């Protein structure tokens, strides 16, 4: 049972400079422990949380000691509990979270508990943002048109979330059309320091999108978790995590003229991928920090998932405080933030002598060494210096199929496809750009690159350059503030002139919401096997993600997106070849349209103003007409509509009893899928458009949904029937069981039939057979998607045996009761001679008390093979989840049994 906080003696009062007090706080200096002064700032946030929440029940004194002794304890992979200050949801993951909360209330009722206990105990910020399908692009009224389409398609989903905002306490819902979750978090929701009923403590957040890390640029500790883990945190459960190592990344020098924050982040991503930072925090420091704006820091922090770190953290300093003022935060609040952080020695003042921090390892980058670059064609960390792009592109055409190869035969590399676009003759070649999108959370918080893109557009227009009409251009800012400063600067009209109209505020192309290409372009690509290109200012460019027809996808800064749109191809050397012909047939080069850093800085200084932020976020609280007119049912229990294809009651709590089912092994399981390396959550989880011949399409057609109303998988995340059918439905899936074929198919081993993954899984389930998945390294990398774990569980997958797992995905599998196993070092399915045609048995003890985190487990096949794997339940808490059949079942039983 919980007891009095053993650290109450260090509870101090923070006085206001002019008299009075800000509130109480737990003082780290009052512990008088010299080890604390040397801790990384990011670890101090974990320490403060452990001290403040210490009750010798959920958080114990020994946990606090582990964190204080971080230098010695972190290499030992020790487990600690962490209670974040709040939870951040976006609507794609927010819908299933609210669905699960509604289901838990129903289950609580059935089991005789108080259903009103199912309420977020931790503040929840839910931003409805992932809802901009780019149907209308080159149009002055694109925003309104796309918004109206989204409300038509998603009225039921939006209505459900509006019901949730009334039914559940402690939940703030930001209406659609306000902005992308990460930018709203940065500009508006991020507190930096909380003052709750007179108790001061650092802001920290876990969010259901891996790019929650963007907030680390503001000095707020935040990272992505699965929706499953977030729901448990909302319900008061401490997060169980391994105390991370911290990589100290020193920045020195200053970026050269014309080099953007995007160039910097792609460089940092490559360095950190090479160093290896999976499961670690990265903390930035050094004199180069003063040269980086808050928006630059947020850009680097945003891409933590791409370099593999849990966080890319920038401690609070004067730059942070300036940004808080810029974004319209209350002056008294900013004073309180600085006073609290200074009192707790969590503020960095570069004007004072710096205490040498201890880090697990050290890196250094001179900002002057950063050069213009892009990344691709298939992974965010495959950086290409801009000057080498043309050579690299030709190498990709020649190379065998892989991350850097398309294996296009030499004789067809220069082929020209003739087609007609709106009655005009047109041509298409390998490398031609068909999508150019300024989009996604990575860059749209950064005025320098957004206004830089607008300056490129201005120069191009004045010189007479145009973008080919069949290139799908779009601009999706992260918040309404961007629109205000683009208009104030007078530069939006030039972006419009080149086709970069604002299409909406939220995730678009980066998440696969590109919308359809013109049918003539689509036909030219698909009928002639053209390797068409997309260039986007996003953070993800995995195959099949941006658009099914763009096999080459490059990440670039917003100004470079405009430049490539003007060039119309990635097959160009910007240093020596003209981008195009301007007025009077004059050749225009890249250098002619590229703005200097001074030009950009001057426009930023004059155009980005605090009032813009205040006005934008005051409007959020008022909603918008379409949102405000939504009528929703009242009541705390949801009335499920069995005919709904958007919101459906999932079977997680079906037949649930008060007694935990206990651990389960696997008996004679068939292999559903046999994968190689780098299977991402994009391959696993339903995302993007619903293919017309897919099991999900059949399900919708059977229920009278017209093809034009299929919408996206993301919008239907509240319906488990659609999502189970969309699991492993990616058109780029490579499954070794169907040799040489790409797509969502597998072999039903007993009959040898080739079926869709869903149909094969249902056949196995109906026959009473368990299934497992074999995989290579980095299984589940990419976005933190709960459906990447929920989907396989619903398909009947009992275990995944991989060379290694991405952090969040492994945690999500555990949360859904799926066993994660790792091959021993140096071994994999191929070296062990596993074909996937074998049957697999995994023996586990009947009692959870006999299982240890990370223990060895023997796997036996029906043809006599035997090999040892590591059981990847990493903590005692994860074993408890497994014992209960999943994290949500664990929470329900604990809430029913709790007496406090």
């Amino acid at each position: 049972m919980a007891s009095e906080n053993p650290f109450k003696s260090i509870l101090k009062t923070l006085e206001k400079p002019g008299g009075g007090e800000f509130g109480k706080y737990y003082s780290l200096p009052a512990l008088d422990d010299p080890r604390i002064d040397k801790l990384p700032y990011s670890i101090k946030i974990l320490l403060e949380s452990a001290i403040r929440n210490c009750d010798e029940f959920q958080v114990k004194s020994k946990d606090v000691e582990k964190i204080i002794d971080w230098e010695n304890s972190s290499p030992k992979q020790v487990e600690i509990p962490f209670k974040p200050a709040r939870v951040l949801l976006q609507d794609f993951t927010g819908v299933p979270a609210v669905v699960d909360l509604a289901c838990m209330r129903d289950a609580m009722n059935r089991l005789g508990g108080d259903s009103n206990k199912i309420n977020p105990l931790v503040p929840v910020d839910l931003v409805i943002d992932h809802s901009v399908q780019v149907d209308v692009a080159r149009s002055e009224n694109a925003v309104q048109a796309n918004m109206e389409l989204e409300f038509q398609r998603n009225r039921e989903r939006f209505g459900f979330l509006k019901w949730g905002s009334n039914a559940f306490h402690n939940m703030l819902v930001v209406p659609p059309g306000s902005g992308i979750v990460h930018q709203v978090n940065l500009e508006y929701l991020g507190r930096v320091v909380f003052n709750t009923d007179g108790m001061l403590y650092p802001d920290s957040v876990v969010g259901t999108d891996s790019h929650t890390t963007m907030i680390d640029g503001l000095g707020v500790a935040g990272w992505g978790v699965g929706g499953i883990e977030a729901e448990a945190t909302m319900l008061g459960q401490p997060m169980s995590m391994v105390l991370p190592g911290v990589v100290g990344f020193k920045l020195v020098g200053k970026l050269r003229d014309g080099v953007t924050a995007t160039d910097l982040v792609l460089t940092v991503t490559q360095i950190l991928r090479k160093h290896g930072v999976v499961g670690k925090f990265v903390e930035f420091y050094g004199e180069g920090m003063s040269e980086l704006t808050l928006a630059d820091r947020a850009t680097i922090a945003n891409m933590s998932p791409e370099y593999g770190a849990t966080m890319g953290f920038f401690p609070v300093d004067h730059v942070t405080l300036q940004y808080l003022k810029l974004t319209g935060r209350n002056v008294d609040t900013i004073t309180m933030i600085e006073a609290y952080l200074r009192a707790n020695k969590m503020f960095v003042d570069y004007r004072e002598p710096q205490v040498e921090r201890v880090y697990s390892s050290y890196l250094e980058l001179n900002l002057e060494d950063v050069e213009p670059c892009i990344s691709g064609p298939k992974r965010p960390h495959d950086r290409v210096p801009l000057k080498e792009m043309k050579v690299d592109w030709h190498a990709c055409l020649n190379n065998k199929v892989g991350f850097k190869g398309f294996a296009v035969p030499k004789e067809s590399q220069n082929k020209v496809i003739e087609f007609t676009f709106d009655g005009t003759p047109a041509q298409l070649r390998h490398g031609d750009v068909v999508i150019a999108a300024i989009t996604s959370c990575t860059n749209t918080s950064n005025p320098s690159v957004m206004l830089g893109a607008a300056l490129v557009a201005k120069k191009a227009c004045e010189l007479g350059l145009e973008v080919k009409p069949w290139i799908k251009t779009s601009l999706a800012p992260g918040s309404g503030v961007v629109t205000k400063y683009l208009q104030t600067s007078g530069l939006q009209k030039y972006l419009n002139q080149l086709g970069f109209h604002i299409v909406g505020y939220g995730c678009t192309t980066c998440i696969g919401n590109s919308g359809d290409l013109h049918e003539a372009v689509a036909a030219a690509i698909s009928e002639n096997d053209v390797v068409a290109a997309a260039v986007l200012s996003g953070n993800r460019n995995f195959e099949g993600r941006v658009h099914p027809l763009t096999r080459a996808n490059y990440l670039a800064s917003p100004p470079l997106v405009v430049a490539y749109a003007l060039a119309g191809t990635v097959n160009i050397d910007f240093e020596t070849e003209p981008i195009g012909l301007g007025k009077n047939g004059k050749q225009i080069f890249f250098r002619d349209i590229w703005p200097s850093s001074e030009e950009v800085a001057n426009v930023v200084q004059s155009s980005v103003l605090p009032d813009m932020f205040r006005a934008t976020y005051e409007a959020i609280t008022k909603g918008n007409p379409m949102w405000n007119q939504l009528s929703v049912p009242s009541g705390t229990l949801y009335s499920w509509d069995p005919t709904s294809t958007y919101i459906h009651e999932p079977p997680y709590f079906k037949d649930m009893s008060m007694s935990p089912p206990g651990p389960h092994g696997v008996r004679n399981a068939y292999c559903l899928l046999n994968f190689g390396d780098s299977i991402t959550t994009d391959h696993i989880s339903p995302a993007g458009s619903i293919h017309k011949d897919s099991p999900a399409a059949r399900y919708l057609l059977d229920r009278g949904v017209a093809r034009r109303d299929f919408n996206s998988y993301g919008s239907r995340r509240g319906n488990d029937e659609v999502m189970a059918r969309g699991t492993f439905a990616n058109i780029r899936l490579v499954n070794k069981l169907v040799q040489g074929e790409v797509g969502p198919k597998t072999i039903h081993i007993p009959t040898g039939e080739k079926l869709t993954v869903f149909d094969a899984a249902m056949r196995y389930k109906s026959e009473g057979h368990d299934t497992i998945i074999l995989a290579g390294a980095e299984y589940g990398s990419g976005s933190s998607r709960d459906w990447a774990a929920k989907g396989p569980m619903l398909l009947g997958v009992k275990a995944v045996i991989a060379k290694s797992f991405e952090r969040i995905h492994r945690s999500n599998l555990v949360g859904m009761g799926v066993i994660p196993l790792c091959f021993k070092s140096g071994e994999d399915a191929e070296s062990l001679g596993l074909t996937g045609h074998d049957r697999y048995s995994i023996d586990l003890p009947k009692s959870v008390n006999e299982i240890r985190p990370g223990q060895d487990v023997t796997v036996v096949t029906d043809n006599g093979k035997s090999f040892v794997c590591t059981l990847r339940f990493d903590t005692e808490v994860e074993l408890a989840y497994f014992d209960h059949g999943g994290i949500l079942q664990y929470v329900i039983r604990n809430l029913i049994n709790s007496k406090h």
Side-chain angles (χ1 to χ4, degrees):
M1 295 293 290
S3 63
E4 190 175 56
N5 191 318
F7 293 96
K8 64 178 183 179
S9 64
I10 64 166
L11 192 60
K12 306 290 182 186
T13 299
L14 185 66
E15 307 287 346
K16 287 184 176 179
E21 60 182 58
F22 287 115
K24 305 284 186 190
Y25 72 104
Y26 283 91
S27 169
L28 302 186
L31 285 171
D32 197 24
D33 192 318
R35 294 173 296 177
I36 295 175
D37 285 340
K38 291 188 174 183
L39 287 178
Y41 289 97
S42 48
I43 297 299
K44 283 188 173 185
I45 292 175
L46 302 184
L47 174 61
E48 189 283 336
S49 174
I51 289 171
R52 179 168 35 87
N53 290 295
C54 189
D55 59 358
E56 301 297 3
F57 176 59
Q58 288 187 326
V59 183
K60 300 178 180 178
S61 297
K62 66 180 182 182
D63 298 315
V64 173
E65 173 56 28
K66 286 178 192 173
I67 303 173
I68 292 174
D69 199 36
W70 170 84
E71 187 178 355
N72 297 310
S73 56
S74 67
K76 299 172 186 172
Q77 295 285 289
V78 300
E79 171 195 353
I80 61 158
F82 176 52
K83 285 197 161 189
R86 61 190 171 98
V87 172
L88 181 68
L89 304 174
Q90 42 83 290
D91 63 327
F92 273 12
T93 42
V95 169
V98 178
V99 164
D100 290 350
L101 285 171
C103 284
M104 289 171 77
R105 276 194 174 164
D106 291 347
M108 199 84 150
N109 256 9
R110 281 199 306 273
L111 293 169
D114 178 5
S115 64
N116 287 323
K117 275 189 175 180
I118 305 291
N119 255 317
L121 300 176
V122 172
V124 175
D125 300 323
L126 195 160
V127 183
I128 304 179
D129 77 328
H130 273 222
S131 53
V132 185
Q133 182 81 11
V134 188
D135 290 282
V136 181
R138 290 192 170 193
S139 165
E140 291 285 359
N141 67 345
V143 174
Q144 185 65 19
N146 284 318
M147 190 84 167
E148 287 172 3
L149 284 166
E150 290 308 324
F151 262 85
Q152 287 169 23
R153 292 182 180 124
N154 301 306
R155 183 172 299 276
E156 189 177 343
R157 184 171 110 242
F158 293 164
F160 177 70
L161 289 174
K162 193 172 179 183
W163 167 82
S165 69
N166 297 325
F168 297 104
H169 305 304
N170 219 10
M171 183 185 287
L172 167 71
V173 176
V174 177
S178 306
I180 191 167
V181 58
H182 314 305
Q183 194 159 344
V184 173
N185 194 23
L186 191 74
E187 294 176 354
Y188 178 63
L189 297 172
R191 280 74 155 180
V192 185
V193 172
F194 265 88
N195 186 346
T196 304
D197 300 327
M199 176 63 72
L200 308 176
Y201 52 96
D203 187 4
S204 57
V205 59
V206 291
T208 53
D209 187 296
S210 52
H211 293 108
T212 300
T213 53
M214 188 166 177
I215 200 67
D216 303 338
L218 195 69
V220 174
W223 59 86
V225 295
I228 303 151
E229 209 173 353
E231 288 168 31
T233 304
M234 284 158 50
L235 293 163
Q237 295 299 305
M239 276 181 53
S240 181
M241 62 183 287
V242 172
L243 185 62
V246 183
V247 177
F249 199 131
K250 188 176 184 179
L251 298 173
V252 298
K254 181 179 181 179
L255 291 175
R256 286 180 288 142
D257 188 44
V259 176
T260 69
T262 316
D263 301 322
L264 171 59
V265 75
L266 294 178
T267 304
V268 167
T269 297
Q270 187 180 45
I271 291 168
L272 288 171
R273 267 287 171 195
K274 187 176 179 182
H275 185 73
V277 292
V278 172
K280 296 183 174 74
F281 290 177
V282 176
E283 186 164 296
F284 294 89
Y285 69 104
E287 57 268 31
M289 291 279 279
S290 61
E291 298 295 336
L292 295 182
T293 67
L294 199 290
D296 291 346
R297 298 174 182 192
T299 307
I300 296 170
N302 180 286
M303 281 190 78
S304 295
E306 280 68 44
Y307 44 82
T310 304
M311 278 204 305
F313 187 75
F314 291 81
V316 176
D317 61 10
H318 287 103
V319 174
T320 322
L321 300 180
Q322 287 165 9
Y323 182 79
L324 293 173
K325 290 171 187 168
L326 172 68
T327 50
R329 261 72 163 209
N330 181 284
V331 175
D332 292 340
T333 302
I334 297 170
T335 305
M336 177 270 291
I337 289 169
E338 183 176 3
Y340 168 80
L341 293 173
R342 283 187 181 277
N344 239 348
K345 293 192 175 178
M346 297 168 86
F347 184 85
V348 185
D349 192 333
Y350 289 104
R351 298 172 300 194
E352 298 171 356
Q354 298 298 300
V355 175
E356 192 67 30
R357 308 269 143 201
V358 176
Y359 294 110
S360 309
S361 60
Y362 296 81
L363 290 168
E364 183 171 325
L365 173 65
N366 189 331
L367 298 177
E368 290 172 15
D369 294 338
V370 177
E371 60 182 326
C373 56
I374 64 176
S375 271
K378 301 181 186 184
R379 294 191 302 186
H381 51 282
D382 290 335
R383 187 181 69 91
V384 186
L386 200 60
K387 63 189 179 190
E388 297 171 18
M389 180 56 195
K390 184 163 185 169
V391 172
D392 192 81
W393 169 252
H394 283 278
C396 288
L397 287 180
N398 289 319
N399 292 346
K400 67 179 184 181
V401 173
F403 296 123
K404 293 290 288 184
F406 297 105
V408 175
K410 275 266 194 290
E411 61 274 13
S412 61
Q413 287 183 8
N414 296 316
K415 69 180 178 183
V416 179
I417 308 304
E418 306 281 350
F419 70 103
T420 302
F421 181 84
D422 284 348
T424 305
Q427 294 179 335
L428 202 63
R429 297 172 175 82
H430 292 303
D432 277 7
V433 175
V434 294
I435 291 175
I438 301 174
T439 179
S440 137
C441 44
T442 317
N443 294 286
T444 54
S445 68
N446 196 326
S448 295
V449 290
M450 297 301 283
L451 287 164
L455 284 171
V456 170
K458 178 178 187 286
K459 290 172 184 281
C461 290
E462 288 172 347
L463 290 167
L465 291 179
E466 295 179 348
V467 175
K468 293 184 178 72
W470 57 82
I471 297 177
K472 190 161 192 177
T473 46
S474 61
L475 168 59
S479 83
V481 176
V482 181
T483 300
K484 287 184 171 64
Y485 65 65
L486 282 173
Q487 288 174 341
T488 299
S489 67
L491 295 172
Q492 179 65 56
K493 64 183 178 185
Y494 299 109
L495 286 165
N496 289 351
Q497 194 173 323
L498 295 183
F500 287 94
H501 295 277
I502 294 175
V503 295
Y505 301 95
C507 243
T508 55
T509 305
C510 193
I511 195 67
N513 285 351
S514 314
D516 293 333
L517 294 177
H518 189 283
E519 56 188 21
V521 179
I525 295 170
S526 53
E527 290 169 13
N528 298 282
D529 202 23
V530 175
V531 183
V535 184
L536 62 150
S537 66
N539 40 34
R540 294 278 165 81
N541 56 338
F542 303 122
E543 273 195 295
R545 179 184 175 101
V546 172
H547 194 282
L549 294 177
T550 58
R551 283 157 61 192
N553 301 284
Y554 286 93
L555 305 182
S557 65
L560 274 178
V561 171
V562 177
Y564 272 109
L566 290 161
T569 180
V570 297
N571 182 20
I572 183 172
D573 180 345
F574 278 146
E575 288 196 4
T576 61
E577 296 178 84
I579 278 186
L581 298 178
K583 293 171 183 172
N584 305 318
K586 184 187 175 187
Q587 288 189 337
I588 308 297
F589 288 84
F590 180 77
R591 57 183 172 271
D592 299 325
I593 62 170
W594 200 254
S596 69
S597 298
E598 187 181 3
E599 283 179 272
V600 174
N602 288 340
V603 177
V604 171
Q605 185 72 31
S606 61
S607 306
V608 184
L609 307 168
D611 284 350
M612 296 176 177
F613 292 90
R614 290 193 196 98
T616 299
Y617 289 108
E618 279 170 12
I620 277 181
T621 57
K622 298 172 186 170
N624 58 64
M626 285 184 272
W627 171 259
N628 293 339
Q629 286 162 19
L630 277 178
S631 61
V632 297
S634 56
T636 58
L637 291 177
Y638 190 71
S639 300
W640 303 98
D641 177 1
T643 65
S644 171
T645 56
Y646 276 96
I647 309 296
H648 183 262
E649 183 177 14
Y652 310 137
F653 309 111
K654 192 179 177 185
D655 304 324
M656 179 182 165
S657 66
M658 275 304 295
S659 303
H664 62 81
V666 175
R667 278 272 166 273
N668 284 322
Y670 284 102
C671 178
L672 180 64
L673 293 151
N674 183 4
F675 291 132
D677 295 344
S678 295
I679 291 294
T680 71
T681 49
D682 285 332
H683 292 110
I684 307 167
S685 181
S689 57
I690 298 171
H691 195 271
K692 58 185 174 62
D693 298 322
S694 65
R698 290 203 307 268
Y699 171 85
L700 293 171
L701 289 170
D702 288 348
R703 279 150 188 79
V705 178
R707 191 159 283 159
R708 67 176 180 277
D709 296 325
F710 277 3
N711 213 329
S712 64
Y713 280 113
S715 64
R716 293 187 182 274
R717 274 190 179 179
N719 188 313
D720 58 288
E721 296 278 10
V722 173
M723 298 304 279
R725 286 163 173 78
T727 303
F728 298 112
N730 188 296
I731 59 169
R732 299 290 177 201
L733 199 70
V734 178
N735 171 22
K736 294 178 185 177
L737 292 179
V738 284
Q739 296 174 353
E741 189 174 330
V742 177
K745 294 289 177 72
T746 194
I747 300 296
H748 179 250
I749 304 296
T751 63
E753 280 185 75
K754 186 162 63 176
L755 302 169
T756 65
V757 177
F758 175 77
D759 290 342
M762 293 305 101
R763 179 88 63 90
Y764 284 128
K765 280 186 90 168
S766 68
E767 294 164 350
H769 298 309
D770 288 346
T771 54
I772 60 109
I773 288 170
L774 295 175
E778 297 180 340
Y779 182 76
S781 57
S783 302
S784 55
R785 291 190 175 141
D786 52 343
W787 274 110
K790 287 178 174 178
M793 183 277 287
L794 291 172
L795 294 182
V797 173
K798 301 299 181 189
V800 179
I801 311 174
K803 283 173 74 174
S804 62
F805 290 92
E806 194 276 338
R807 175 184 62 87
I808 302 173
H809 184 60
R810 185 206 59 80
S811 170
N812 282 351
L813 289 173
V814 172
M816 294 312 295
V818 178
I819 305 168
L821 294 165
C822 275
F823 291 109
K824 287 295 180 182
S825 180
E827 294 184 346
D828 58 18
E830 203 164 300
S831 70
L832 293 166
L834 306 175
T835 64
H837 289 261
D838 343 66
R839 298 183 73 176
Y840 300 80
S841 292
I842 304 164
D843 264 331
L844 289 180
K846 300 292 184 211
S847 167
V848 75
N849 298 323
E850 298 172 40
I851 305 176
R852 298 184 319 281
Q855 77 176 49
D856 284 350
V857 170
T858 301
V859 182
V860 179
T861 68
D862 61 331
N863 54 11
K865 287 191 174 73
S866 175
F867 56 98
V868 176
C869 290
T870 304
L871 184 65
R872 288 298 310 278
F873 296 126
D874 289 359
T875 64
E876 297 291 342
V877 171
E878 289 187 345
L879 284 173
Y881 296 158
F882 185 57
D883 186 46
H884 280 260
I887 194 169
L888 300 179
Q889 292 85 344
Y890 170 87
V891 168
I892 288 177
R893 292 188 183 104
N894 270 13
L895 283 172
I896 289 177
N897 289 325
S898 66
K899 299 287 186 284
H900 61 282

